[in-house]
């Protein structure tokens, strides 16, 4: 590839020589905070190693789109129910119309009357 814009083969070859480890906070629902470190090792003729600090500015949440970027290397940290977006999602509240509420009250009243009638008829 050209300088600054490598092709897929160059990226795959470079990624194959890369290993690392991420240590970070436990999964939590806070969308705007993230703290951790990444230990990266690049295995070449002259091995390189670096410890990188990770913050919320280094994070993309599920569903985000990265634009105006030719390529990027990424590491997935939390997935499924442990992702910050999933931890923040909640069930929609159950809504009842006024008619449904009225019907429920009337059914309870009818049930109570029937119980009283049954008990009165049994005596």
């Amino acid at each position: 590839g050209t300088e600054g814009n490598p092709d897929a083969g160059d990226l795959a070859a470079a990624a194959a020589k890369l290993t690392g480890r991420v240590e970070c906070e436990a999964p939590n629902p806070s969308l705007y905070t993230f703290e951790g470190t990444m230990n990266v090792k690049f295995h070449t003729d002259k091995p390189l190693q670096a410890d990188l600090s990770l913050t919320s500015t280094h994070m993309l949440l599920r569903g985000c789109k990265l634009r105006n970027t030719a390529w990027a290397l990424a590491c997935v940290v939390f997935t499924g129910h442990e992702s910050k977006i999933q931890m923040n999602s909640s069930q929609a509240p159950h809504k009842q119309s006024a008619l449904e509420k009225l019907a429920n009250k009337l059914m309870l009243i009818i049930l109570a009357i029937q119980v009283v009638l049954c008990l009165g008829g049994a005596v």
Side-chain angles (χ1 to χ4, degrees), residues 57-109:
T57 59
H58 302 108
M59 178 177 60
L60 286 177
L61 296 173
R62 176 181 166 196
C64 291
K65 294 183 180 180
L66 192 60
R67 296 181 184 204
N68 302 323
T69 304
W71 60 275
L73 293 177
C75 174
V76 176
V77 179
F78 301 122
T79 62
H81 295 291
E82 292 182 340
S83 69
K84 290 181 178 280
I85 296 294
Q86 283 284 72
M87 290 180 129
N88 275 292
S89 66
S90 60
Q91 292 283 350
H94 180 69
K95 297 180 181 179
Q96 279 188 326
S97 69
L99 181 62
E100 284 179 303
K101 290 179 183 178
L102 178 63
N104 287 340
K105 286 180 187 176
L106 292 175
M107 287 179 66
L108 289 174
I109 292 170

mmCIF file of all heavy atoms in Angstrom, residues 57-109:
data_model
loop_
_atom_site.group_PDB
_atom_site.id
_atom_site.type_symbol
_atom_site.label_atom_id
_atom_site.label_comp_id
_atom_site.label_asym_id
_atom_site.label_seq_id
_atom_site.Cartn_x
_atom_site.Cartn_y
_atom_site.Cartn_z
ATOM 1 N N THR A 57 -12.420 8.380 25.713
ATOM 2 C CA THR A 57 -12.163 8.949 24.383
ATOM 3 C C THR A 57 -11.660 7.897 23.408
ATOM 4 O O THR A 57 -11.661 8.121 22.206
ATOM 5 C CB THR A 57 -11.143 10.106 24.450
ATOM 6 O OG1 THR A 57 -9.924 9.609 24.996
ATOM 7 C CG2 THR A 57 -11.673 11.254 25.280
ATOM 8 N N HIS A 58 -11.239 6.740 23.908
ATOM 9 C CA HIS A 58 -10.760 5.650 23.063
ATOM 10 C C HIS A 58 -11.832 4.606 22.789
ATOM 11 O O HIS A 58 -11.558 3.553 22.241
ATOM 12 C CB HIS A 58 -9.568 4.957 23.731
ATOM 13 C CG HIS A 58 -8.422 5.862 24.021
ATOM 14 N ND1 HIS A 58 -8.105 6.244 25.294
ATOM 15 C CD2 HIS A 58 -7.563 6.498 23.201
ATOM 16 C CE1 HIS A 58 -7.066 7.048 25.252
ATOM 17 N NE2 HIS A 58 -6.726 7.229 23.996
ATOM 18 N N MET A 59 -13.059 4.883 23.194
ATOM 19 C CA MET A 59 -14.114 3.881 23.165
ATOM 20 C C MET A 59 -15.194 4.231 22.140
ATOM 21 O O MET A 59 -15.583 5.385 22.004
ATOM 22 C CB MET A 59 -14.737 3.810 24.565
ATOM 23 C CG MET A 59 -15.877 2.865 24.692
ATOM 24 S SD MET A 59 -16.526 2.757 26.374
ATOM 25 C CE MET A 59 -17.022 4.419 26.703
ATOM 26 N N LEU A 60 -15.663 3.222 21.429
ATOM 27 C CA LEU A 60 -16.835 3.351 20.564
ATOM 28 C C LEU A 60 -17.916 2.446 21.130
ATOM 29 O O LEU A 60 -17.683 1.264 21.359
ATOM 30 C CB LEU A 60 -16.526 2.913 19.130
ATOM 31 C CG LEU A 60 -15.686 3.858 18.293
ATOM 32 C CD1 LEU A 60 -15.404 3.228 16.927
ATOM 33 C CD2 LEU A 60 -16.376 5.183 18.117
ATOM 34 N N LEU A 61 -19.095 2.999 21.330
ATOM 35 C CA LEU A 61 -20.204 2.203 21.842
ATOM 36 C C LEU A 61 -20.871 1.438 20.712
ATOM 37 O O LEU A 61 -20.743 1.793 19.539
ATOM 38 C CB LEU A 61 -21.220 3.109 22.531
ATOM 39 C CG LEU A 61 -20.710 3.832 23.774
ATOM 40 C CD1 LEU A 61 -21.743 4.821 24.263
ATOM 41 C CD2 LEU A 61 -20.357 2.845 24.856
ATOM 42 N N ARG A 62 -21.592 0.404 21.068
ATOM 43 C CA ARG A 62 -22.316 -0.409 20.096
ATOM 44 C C ARG A 62 -23.226 0.478 19.245
ATOM 45 O O ARG A 62 -23.934 1.336 19.765
ATOM 46 C CB ARG A 62 -23.145 -1.439 20.857
ATOM 47 C CG ARG A 62 -24.015 -2.279 19.997
ATOM 48 C CD ARG A 62 -24.797 -3.218 20.867
ATOM 49 N NE ARG A 62 -25.869 -3.796 20.104
ATOM 50 C CZ ARG A 62 -26.898 -4.410 20.625
ATOM 51 N NH1 ARG A 62 -26.998 -4.541 21.913
ATOM 52 N NH2 ARG A 62 -27.823 -4.907 19.859
ATOM 53 N N GLY A 63 -23.185 0.280 17.944
ATOM 54 C CA GLY A 63 -24.035 1.038 17.034
ATOM 55 C C GLY A 63 -23.392 2.306 16.503
ATOM 56 O O GLY A 63 -23.950 2.946 15.625
ATOM 57 N N CYS A 64 -22.231 2.695 17.040
ATOM 58 C CA CYS A 64 -21.548 3.899 16.546
ATOM 59 C C CYS A 64 -20.928 3.630 15.185
ATOM 60 O O CYS A 64 -20.551 2.503 14.874
ATOM 61 C CB CYS A 64 -20.449 4.322 17.516
ATOM 62 S SG CYS A 64 -21.070 4.938 19.063
ATOM 63 N N LYS A 65 -20.810 4.676 14.383
ATOM 64 C CA LYS A 65 -20.172 4.565 13.071
ATOM 65 C C LYS A 65 -18.947 5.458 13.039
ATOM 66 O O LYS A 65 -19.000 6.615 13.436
ATOM 67 C CB LYS A 65 -21.144 4.972 11.965
ATOM 68 C CG LYS A 65 -22.308 4.025 11.842
ATOM 69 C CD LYS A 65 -23.205 4.406 10.714
ATOM 70 C CE LYS A 65 -24.373 3.418 10.644
ATOM 71 N NZ LYS A 65 -25.289 3.733 9.576
ATOM 72 N N LEU A 66 -17.847 4.904 12.568
ATOM 73 C CA LEU A 66 -16.601 5.640 12.435
ATOM 74 C C LEU A 66 -16.520 6.163 11.013
ATOM 75 O O LEU A 66 -16.515 5.392 10.064
ATOM 76 C CB LEU A 66 -15.422 4.701 12.750
ATOM 77 C CG LEU A 66 -14.075 5.310 12.949
ATOM 78 C CD1 LEU A 66 -14.097 6.302 14.109
ATOM 79 C CD2 LEU A 66 -13.056 4.224 13.234
ATOM 80 N N ARG A 67 -16.472 7.483 10.842
ATOM 81 C CA ARG A 67 -16.483 8.081 9.505
ATOM 82 C C ARG A 67 -15.151 8.739 9.196
ATOM 83 O O ARG A 67 -14.378 9.061 10.084
ATOM 84 C CB ARG A 67 -17.596 9.117 9.408
ATOM 85 C CG ARG A 67 -18.960 8.508 9.564
ATOM 86 C CD ARG A 67 -20.009 9.558 9.448
ATOM 87 N NE ARG A 67 -21.319 8.958 9.694
ATOM 88 C CZ ARG A 67 -22.432 9.456 9.252
ATOM 89 N NH1 ARG A 67 -22.444 10.557 8.557
ATOM 90 N NH2 ARG A 67 -23.565 8.860 9.511
ATOM 91 N N ASN A 68 -14.926 8.969 7.907
ATOM 92 C CA ASN A 68 -13.726 9.656 7.424
ATOM 93 C C ASN A 68 -12.443 9.000 7.936
ATOM 94 O O ASN A 68 -11.490 9.673 8.293
ATOM 95 C CB ASN A 68 -13.754 11.138 7.807
ATOM 96 C CG ASN A 68 -14.970 11.841 7.258
ATOM 97 O OD1 ASN A 68 -15.408 11.558 6.149
ATOM 98 N ND2 ASN A 68 -15.536 12.739 8.033
ATOM 99 N N THR A 69 -12.440 7.697 8.001
ATOM 100 C CA THR A 69 -11.287 6.937 8.471
ATOM 101 C C THR A 69 -11.036 5.795 7.495
ATOM 102 O O THR A 69 -11.929 4.999 7.232
ATOM 103 C CB THR A 69 -11.549 6.370 9.883
ATOM 104 O OG1 THR A 69 -11.883 7.459 10.750
ATOM 105 C CG2 THR A 69 -10.353 5.642 10.425
ATOM 106 N N ALA A 70 -9.832 5.738 6.955
ATOM 107 C CA ALA A 70 -9.500 4.702 5.978
ATOM 108 C C ALA A 70 -9.440 3.320 6.629
ATOM 109 O O ALA A 70 -9.905 2.341 6.057
ATOM 110 C CB ALA A 70 -8.173 5.022 5.303
ATOM 111 N N TRP A 71 -8.868 3.226 7.841
ATOM 112 C CA TRP A 71 -8.773 1.950 8.526
ATOM 113 C C TRP A 71 -8.583 2.188 10.024
ATOM 114 O O TRP A 71 -8.213 3.276 10.450
ATOM 115 C CB TRP A 71 -7.644 1.096 7.965
ATOM 116 C CG TRP A 71 -6.293 1.738 8.095
ATOM 117 C CD1 TRP A 71 -5.718 2.628 7.238
ATOM 118 C CD2 TRP A 71 -5.373 1.565 9.175
ATOM 119 N NE1 TRP A 71 -4.503 3.024 7.718
ATOM 120 C CE2 TRP A 71 -4.254 2.372 8.906
ATOM 121 C CE3 TRP A 71 -5.379 0.816 10.331
ATOM 122 C CZ2 TRP A 71 -3.158 2.448 9.738
ATOM 123 C CZ3 TRP A 71 -4.288 0.881 11.179
ATOM 124 C CH2 TRP A 71 -3.184 1.689 10.875
ATOM 125 N N ALA A 72 -8.830 1.159 10.794
ATOM 126 C CA ALA A 72 -8.648 1.238 12.247
ATOM 127 C C ALA A 72 -8.434 -0.168 12.798
ATOM 128 O O ALA A 72 -8.944 -1.140 12.248
ATOM 129 C CB ALA A 72 -9.866 1.869 12.910
ATOM 130 N N LEU A 73 -7.652 -0.268 13.851
ATOM 131 C CA LEU A 73 -7.502 -1.515 14.589
ATOM 132 C C LEU A 73 -8.332 -1.371 15.855
ATOM 133 O O LEU A 73 -8.311 -0.321 16.500
ATOM 134 C CB LEU A 73 -6.042 -1.776 14.955
ATOM 135 C CG LEU A 73 -5.103 -2.055 13.787
ATOM 136 C CD1 LEU A 73 -3.678 -2.214 14.294
ATOM 137 C CD2 LEU A 73 -5.533 -3.302 13.045
ATOM 138 N N ALA A 74 -9.062 -2.404 16.202
ATOM 139 C CA ALA A 74 -9.957 -2.307 17.350
ATOM 140 C C ALA A 74 -9.877 -3.560 18.203
ATOM 141 O O ALA A 74 -9.463 -4.621 17.739
ATOM 142 C CB ALA A 74 -11.390 -2.098 16.864
ATOM 143 N N CYS A 75 -10.297 -3.409 19.431
ATOM 144 C CA CYS A 75 -10.359 -4.513 20.382
ATOM 145 C C CYS A 75 -11.725 -4.458 21.057
ATOM 146 O O CYS A 75 -12.114 -3.422 21.597
ATOM 147 C CB CYS A 75 -9.240 -4.356 21.408
ATOM 148 S SG CYS A 75 -9.297 -5.549 22.732
ATOM 149 N N VAL A 76 -12.456 -5.544 21.034
ATOM 150 C CA VAL A 76 -13.766 -5.599 21.679
ATOM 151 C C VAL A 76 -13.552 -5.939 23.151
ATOM 152 O O VAL A 76 -12.894 -6.918 23.484
ATOM 153 C CB VAL A 76 -14.668 -6.659 21.011
ATOM 154 C CG1 VAL A 76 -15.985 -6.776 21.734
ATOM 155 C CG2 VAL A 76 -14.863 -6.318 19.548
ATOM 156 N N VAL A 77 -14.123 -5.114 24.043
ATOM 157 C CA VAL A 77 -13.909 -5.314 25.474
ATOM 158 C C VAL A 77 -15.117 -5.970 26.132
ATOM 159 O O VAL A 77 -14.985 -6.980 26.794
ATOM 160 C CB VAL A 77 -13.565 -3.976 26.168
ATOM 161 C CG1 VAL A 77 -13.372 -4.179 27.658
ATOM 162 C CG2 VAL A 77 -12.302 -3.380 25.558
ATOM 163 N N PHE A 78 -16.308 -5.420 25.951
ATOM 164 C CA PHE A 78 -17.514 -6.001 26.539
ATOM 165 C C PHE A 78 -18.506 -6.320 25.436
ATOM 166 O O PHE A 78 -18.686 -5.534 24.514
ATOM 167 C CB PHE A 78 -18.176 -5.036 27.525
ATOM 168 C CG PHE A 78 -17.288 -4.625 28.669
ATOM 169 C CD1 PHE A 78 -17.011 -3.299 28.899
ATOM 170 C CD2 PHE A 78 -16.734 -5.573 29.503
ATOM 171 C CE1 PHE A 78 -16.201 -2.912 29.948
ATOM 172 C CE2 PHE A 78 -15.922 -5.204 30.549
ATOM 173 C CZ PHE A 78 -15.656 -3.872 30.771
ATOM 174 N N THR A 79 -19.172 -7.475 25.547
ATOM 175 C CA THR A 79 -20.164 -7.871 24.546
ATOM 176 C C THR A 79 -21.444 -8.325 25.241
ATOM 177 O O THR A 79 -21.451 -8.572 26.443
ATOM 178 C CB THR A 79 -19.640 -9.032 23.671
ATOM 179 O OG1 THR A 79 -19.398 -10.163 24.509
ATOM 180 C CG2 THR A 79 -18.376 -8.649 22.932
ATOM 181 N N GLY A 80 -22.491 -8.445 24.470
ATOM 182 C CA GLY A 80 -23.754 -8.974 24.979
ATOM 183 C C GLY A 80 -24.336 -8.132 26.095
ATOM 184 O O GLY A 80 -24.362 -6.909 26.021
ATOM 185 N N HIS A 81 -24.780 -8.782 27.164
ATOM 186 C CA HIS A 81 -25.436 -8.082 28.273
ATOM 187 C C HIS A 81 -24.463 -7.257 29.097
ATOM 188 O O HIS A 81 -24.880 -6.449 29.915
ATOM 189 C CB HIS A 81 -26.174 -9.078 29.175
ATOM 190 C CG HIS A 81 -27.312 -9.754 28.479
ATOM 191 N ND1 HIS A 81 -28.452 -9.069 28.118
ATOM 192 C CD2 HIS A 81 -27.481 -11.021 28.049
ATOM 193 C CE1 HIS A 81 -29.268 -9.896 27.504
ATOM 194 N NE2 HIS A 81 -28.713 -11.085 27.449
ATOM 195 N N GLU A 82 -23.142 -7.459 28.883
ATOM 196 C CA GLU A 82 -22.143 -6.683 29.623
ATOM 197 C C GLU A 82 -21.807 -5.369 28.942
ATOM 198 O O GLU A 82 -21.076 -4.561 29.492
ATOM 199 C CB GLU A 82 -20.867 -7.501 29.811
ATOM 200 C CG GLU A 82 -21.040 -8.680 30.736
ATOM 201 C CD GLU A 82 -19.744 -9.430 30.932
ATOM 202 O OE1 GLU A 82 -18.826 -9.298 30.097
ATOM 203 O OE2 GLU A 82 -19.647 -10.137 31.940
ATOM 204 N N SER A 83 -22.318 -5.140 27.733
ATOM 205 C CA SER A 83 -22.004 -3.883 27.048
ATOM 206 C C SER A 83 -22.729 -2.728 27.723
ATOM 207 O O SER A 83 -23.796 -2.887 28.319
ATOM 208 C CB SER A 83 -22.372 -3.959 25.562
ATOM 209 O OG SER A 83 -23.767 -4.005 25.405
ATOM 210 N N LYS A 84 -22.134 -1.538 27.645
ATOM 211 C CA LYS A 84 -22.702 -0.368 28.323
ATOM 212 C C LYS A 84 -24.090 -0.029 27.784
ATOM 213 O O LYS A 84 -24.975 0.365 28.538
ATOM 214 C CB LYS A 84 -21.758 0.821 28.186
ATOM 215 C CG LYS A 84 -20.482 0.655 29.007
ATOM 216 C CD LYS A 84 -19.578 1.843 28.872
ATOM 217 C CE LYS A 84 -18.346 1.721 29.719
ATOM 218 N NZ LYS A 84 -18.553 2.053 31.131
ATOM 219 N N ILE A 85 -24.298 -0.190 26.490
ATOM 220 C CA ILE A 85 -25.603 0.116 25.904
ATOM 221 C C ILE A 85 -26.664 -0.851 26.437
ATOM 222 O O ILE A 85 -27.767 -0.444 26.804
ATOM 223 C CB ILE A 85 -25.535 0.052 24.358
ATOM 224 C CG1 ILE A 85 -24.600 1.137 23.823
ATOM 225 C CG2 ILE A 85 -26.907 0.152 23.743
ATOM 226 C CD1 ILE A 85 -25.079 2.550 24.039
ATOM 227 N N GLN A 86 -26.332 -2.140 26.496
ATOM 228 C CA GLN A 86 -27.289 -3.132 27.006
ATOM 229 C C GLN A 86 -27.610 -2.887 28.476
ATOM 230 O O GLN A 86 -28.743 -3.057 28.905
ATOM 231 C CB GLN A 86 -26.741 -4.547 26.846
ATOM 232 C CG GLN A 86 -26.839 -5.083 25.436
ATOM 233 C CD GLN A 86 -28.244 -5.497 25.091
ATOM 234 O OE1 GLN A 86 -29.118 -4.664 24.913
ATOM 235 N NE2 GLN A 86 -28.456 -6.784 24.978
ATOM 236 N N MET A 87 -26.592 -2.487 29.260
ATOM 237 C CA MET A 87 -26.824 -2.244 30.679
ATOM 238 C C MET A 87 -27.718 -1.022 30.890
ATOM 239 O O MET A 87 -28.337 -0.876 31.936
ATOM 240 C CB MET A 87 -25.502 -2.051 31.410
ATOM 241 C CG MET A 87 -24.697 -3.319 31.519
ATOM 242 S SD MET A 87 -23.174 -3.018 32.389
ATOM 243 C CE MET A 87 -23.232 -4.309 33.602
ATOM 244 N N ASN A 88 -27.775 -0.123 29.919
ATOM 245 C CA ASN A 88 -28.599 1.075 30.039
ATOM 246 C C ASN A 88 -29.984 0.899 29.432
ATOM 247 O O ASN A 88 -30.835 1.762 29.602
ATOM 248 C CB ASN A 88 -27.908 2.267 29.368
ATOM 249 C CG ASN A 88 -26.943 2.927 30.308
ATOM 250 O OD1 ASN A 88 -27.345 3.519 31.288
ATOM 251 N ND2 ASN A 88 -25.669 2.789 30.028
ATOM 252 N N SER A 89 -30.181 -0.167 28.698
ATOM 253 C CA SER A 89 -31.504 -0.358 28.097
ATOM 254 C C SER A 89 -32.462 -0.888 29.163
ATOM 255 O O SER A 89 -32.095 -1.663 30.032
ATOM 256 C CB SER A 89 -31.426 -1.332 26.922
ATOM 257 O OG SER A 89 -31.087 -2.621 27.371
ATOM 258 N N SER A 90 -33.683 -0.434 29.104
ATOM 259 C CA SER A 90 -34.681 -0.890 30.067
ATOM 260 C C SER A 90 -35.978 -1.194 29.330
ATOM 261 O O SER A 90 -36.198 -0.739 28.211
ATOM 262 C CB SER A 90 -34.925 0.181 31.139
ATOM 263 O OG SER A 90 -35.389 1.368 30.536
ATOM 264 N N GLN A 91 -36.803 -1.970 29.974
ATOM 265 C CA GLN A 91 -38.085 -2.323 29.397
ATOM 266 C C GLN A 91 -38.974 -1.080 29.332
ATOM 267 O O GLN A 91 -38.949 -0.246 30.239
ATOM 268 C CB GLN A 91 -38.787 -3.385 30.240
ATOM 269 C CG GLN A 91 -38.110 -4.730 30.227
ATOM 270 C CD GLN A 91 -38.394 -5.486 28.945
ATOM 271 O OE1 GLN A 91 -39.232 -5.092 28.150
ATOM 272 N NE2 GLN A 91 -37.690 -6.578 28.740
ATOM 273 N N ALA A 92 -39.753 -0.977 28.277
ATOM 274 C CA ALA A 92 -40.719 0.111 28.176
ATOM 275 C C ALA A 92 -41.808 -0.107 29.227
ATOM 276 O O ALA A 92 -42.223 -1.244 29.471
ATOM 277 C CB ALA A 92 -41.330 0.141 26.782
ATOM 278 N N PRO A 93 -42.250 0.945 29.877
ATOM 279 C CA PRO A 93 -43.293 0.769 30.899
ATOM 280 C C PRO A 93 -44.598 0.283 30.276
ATOM 281 O O PRO A 93 -44.929 0.637 29.145
ATOM 282 C CB PRO A 93 -43.462 2.178 31.483
ATOM 283 C CG PRO A 93 -42.907 3.096 30.467
ATOM 284 C CD PRO A 93 -41.875 2.332 29.698
ATOM 285 N N HIS A 94 -45.297 -0.573 31.025
ATOM 286 C CA HIS A 94 -46.576 -1.100 30.543
ATOM 287 C C HIS A 94 -47.628 -0.010 30.663
ATOM 288 O O HIS A 94 -47.813 0.575 31.735
ATOM 289 C CB HIS A 94 -46.982 -2.326 31.358
ATOM 290 C CG HIS A 94 -48.276 -2.911 30.913
ATOM 291 N ND1 HIS A 94 -48.414 -3.551 29.712
ATOM 292 C CD2 HIS A 94 -49.496 -2.939 31.500
ATOM 293 C CE1 HIS A 94 -49.675 -3.945 29.578
ATOM 294 N NE2 HIS A 94 -50.348 -3.585 30.655
ATOM 295 N N LYS A 95 -48.287 0.274 29.579
ATOM 296 C CA LYS A 95 -49.301 1.331 29.573
ATOM 297 C C LYS A 95 -50.692 0.709 29.549
ATOM 298 O O LYS A 95 -50.928 -0.275 28.866
ATOM 299 C CB LYS A 95 -49.125 2.234 28.357
ATOM 300 C CG LYS A 95 -47.807 2.972 28.345
ATOM 301 C CD LYS A 95 -47.699 3.848 27.122
ATOM 302 C CE LYS A 95 -46.376 4.576 27.097
ATOM 303 N NZ LYS A 95 -46.242 5.410 25.913
ATOM 304 N N GLN A 96 -51.607 1.314 30.287
ATOM 305 C CA GLN A 96 -52.995 0.880 30.301
ATOM 306 C C GLN A 96 -53.872 2.088 30.012
ATOM 307 O O GLN A 96 -53.657 3.166 30.571
ATOM 308 C CB GLN A 96 -53.384 0.322 31.675
ATOM 309 C CG GLN A 96 -52.970 -1.095 31.905
ATOM 310 C CD GLN A 96 -53.573 -1.608 33.206
ATOM 311 O OE1 GLN A 96 -53.740 -0.864 34.165
ATOM 312 N NE2 GLN A 96 -53.905 -2.886 33.228
ATOM 313 N N SER A 97 -54.837 1.870 29.171
ATOM 314 C CA SER A 97 -55.778 2.950 28.890
ATOM 315 C C SER A 97 -56.757 3.076 30.065
ATOM 316 O O SER A 97 -56.870 2.189 30.908
ATOM 317 C CB SER A 97 -56.542 2.658 27.602
ATOM 318 O OG SER A 97 -57.419 1.561 27.789
ATOM 319 N N ALA A 98 -57.462 4.197 30.101
ATOM 320 C CA ALA A 98 -58.454 4.414 31.162
ATOM 321 C C ALA A 98 -59.547 3.360 31.097
ATOM 322 O O ALA A 98 -60.047 2.899 32.133
ATOM 323 C CB ALA A 98 -59.053 5.815 31.025
ATOM 324 N N LEU A 99 -59.900 2.924 29.884
ATOM 325 C CA LEU A 99 -60.930 1.900 29.725
ATOM 326 C C LEU A 99 -60.468 0.568 30.316
ATOM 327 O O LEU A 99 -61.238 -0.131 30.986
ATOM 328 C CB LEU A 99 -61.292 1.738 28.245
ATOM 329 C CG LEU A 99 -62.375 0.727 27.922
ATOM 330 C CD1 LEU A 99 -63.694 1.142 28.581
ATOM 331 C CD2 LEU A 99 -62.560 0.599 26.421
ATOM 332 N N GLU A 100 -59.199 0.203 30.096
ATOM 333 C CA GLU A 100 -58.666 -1.038 30.660
ATOM 334 C C GLU A 100 -58.666 -0.987 32.186
ATOM 335 O O GLU A 100 -59.015 -1.971 32.852
ATOM 336 C CB GLU A 100 -57.236 -1.288 30.168
ATOM 337 C CG GLU A 100 -57.148 -1.790 28.747
ATOM 338 C CD GLU A 100 -55.711 -1.998 28.310
ATOM 339 O OE1 GLU A 100 -54.931 -1.031 28.381
ATOM 340 O OE2 GLU A 100 -55.378 -3.133 27.913
ATOM 341 N N LYS A 101 -58.260 0.158 32.747
ATOM 342 C CA LYS A 101 -58.262 0.307 34.209
ATOM 343 C C LYS A 101 -59.674 0.165 34.775
ATOM 344 O O LYS A 101 -59.882 -0.504 35.790
ATOM 345 C CB LYS A 101 -57.665 1.668 34.600
ATOM 346 C CG LYS A 101 -56.173 1.756 34.341
ATOM 347 C CD LYS A 101 -55.640 3.133 34.712
ATOM 348 C CE LYS A 101 -54.171 3.242 34.382
ATOM 349 N NZ LYS A 101 -53.619 4.572 34.676
ATOM 350 N N LEU A 102 -60.646 0.792 34.112
ATOM 351 C CA LEU A 102 -62.035 0.702 34.552
ATOM 352 C C LEU A 102 -62.544 -0.740 34.470
ATOM 353 O O LEU A 102 -63.185 -1.248 35.396
ATOM 354 C CB LEU A 102 -62.923 1.621 33.707
ATOM 355 C CG LEU A 102 -64.419 1.589 34.024
ATOM 356 C CD1 LEU A 102 -64.677 2.068 35.451
ATOM 357 C CD2 LEU A 102 -65.202 2.413 33.012
ATOM 358 N N ALA A 103 -62.224 -1.419 33.374
ATOM 359 C CA ALA A 103 -62.667 -2.811 33.198
ATOM 360 C C ALA A 103 -62.063 -3.703 34.283
ATOM 361 O O ALA A 103 -62.755 -4.584 34.823
ATOM 362 C CB ALA A 103 -62.278 -3.312 31.811
ATOM 363 N N ASN A 104 -60.800 -3.489 34.625
ATOM 364 C CA ASN A 104 -60.169 -4.285 35.682
ATOM 365 C C ASN A 104 -60.855 -4.062 37.028
ATOM 366 O O ASN A 104 -61.107 -5.005 37.774
ATOM 367 C CB ASN A 104 -58.677 -3.946 35.789
ATOM 368 C CG ASN A 104 -57.877 -4.504 34.625
ATOM 369 O OD1 ASN A 104 -58.312 -5.424 33.949
ATOM 370 N ND2 ASN A 104 -56.714 -3.934 34.387
ATOM 371 N N LYS A 105 -61.159 -2.799 37.363
ATOM 372 C CA LYS A 105 -61.853 -2.504 38.628
ATOM 373 C C LYS A 105 -63.237 -3.153 38.665
ATOM 374 O O LYS A 105 -63.636 -3.739 39.676
ATOM 375 C CB LYS A 105 -61.988 -0.989 38.809
ATOM 376 C CG LYS A 105 -60.701 -0.309 39.183
ATOM 377 C CD LYS A 105 -60.913 1.194 39.348
ATOM 378 C CE LYS A 105 -59.603 1.911 39.559
ATOM 379 N NZ LYS A 105 -59.774 3.370 39.619
ATOM 380 N N LEU A 106 -63.971 -3.054 37.565
ATOM 381 C CA LEU A 106 -65.309 -3.643 37.517
ATOM 382 C C LEU A 106 -65.259 -5.160 37.642
ATOM 383 O O LEU A 106 -66.129 -5.760 38.290
ATOM 384 C CB LEU A 106 -66.035 -3.222 36.241
ATOM 385 C CG LEU A 106 -66.416 -1.731 36.155
ATOM 386 C CD1 LEU A 106 -67.031 -1.407 34.801
ATOM 387 C CD2 LEU A 106 -67.367 -1.377 37.281
ATOM 388 N N MET A 107 -64.258 -5.793 37.026
ATOM 389 C CA MET A 107 -64.131 -7.253 37.140
ATOM 390 C C MET A 107 -63.854 -7.667 38.586
ATOM 391 O O MET A 107 -64.395 -8.670 39.073
ATOM 392 C CB MET A 107 -63.022 -7.765 36.216
ATOM 393 C CG MET A 107 -63.436 -7.725 34.748
ATOM 394 S SD MET A 107 -62.158 -8.282 33.624
ATOM 395 C CE MET A 107 -62.035 -9.982 34.054
ATOM 396 N N LEU A 108 -63.040 -6.890 39.307
ATOM 397 C CA LEU A 108 -62.778 -7.203 40.714
ATOM 398 C C LEU A 108 -64.036 -7.027 41.557
ATOM 399 O O LEU A 108 -64.309 -7.833 42.460
ATOM 400 C CB LEU A 108 -61.644 -6.314 41.249
ATOM 401 C CG LEU A 108 -60.250 -6.641 40.718
ATOM 402 C CD1 LEU A 108 -59.229 -5.615 41.205
ATOM 403 C CD2 LEU A 108 -59.826 -8.042 41.138
ATOM 404 N N ILE A 109 -64.808 -5.991 41.257
ATOM 405 C CA ILE A 109 -66.066 -5.774 41.984
ATOM 406 C C ILE A 109 -67.027 -6.933 41.730
ATOM 407 O O ILE A 109 -67.653 -7.465 42.663
ATOM 408 C CB ILE A 109 -66.695 -4.421 41.595
ATOM 409 C CG1 ILE A 109 -65.827 -3.275 42.124
ATOM 410 C CG2 ILE A 109 -68.123 -4.299 42.101
ATOM 411 C CD1 ILE A 109 -66.218 -1.903 41.601
#
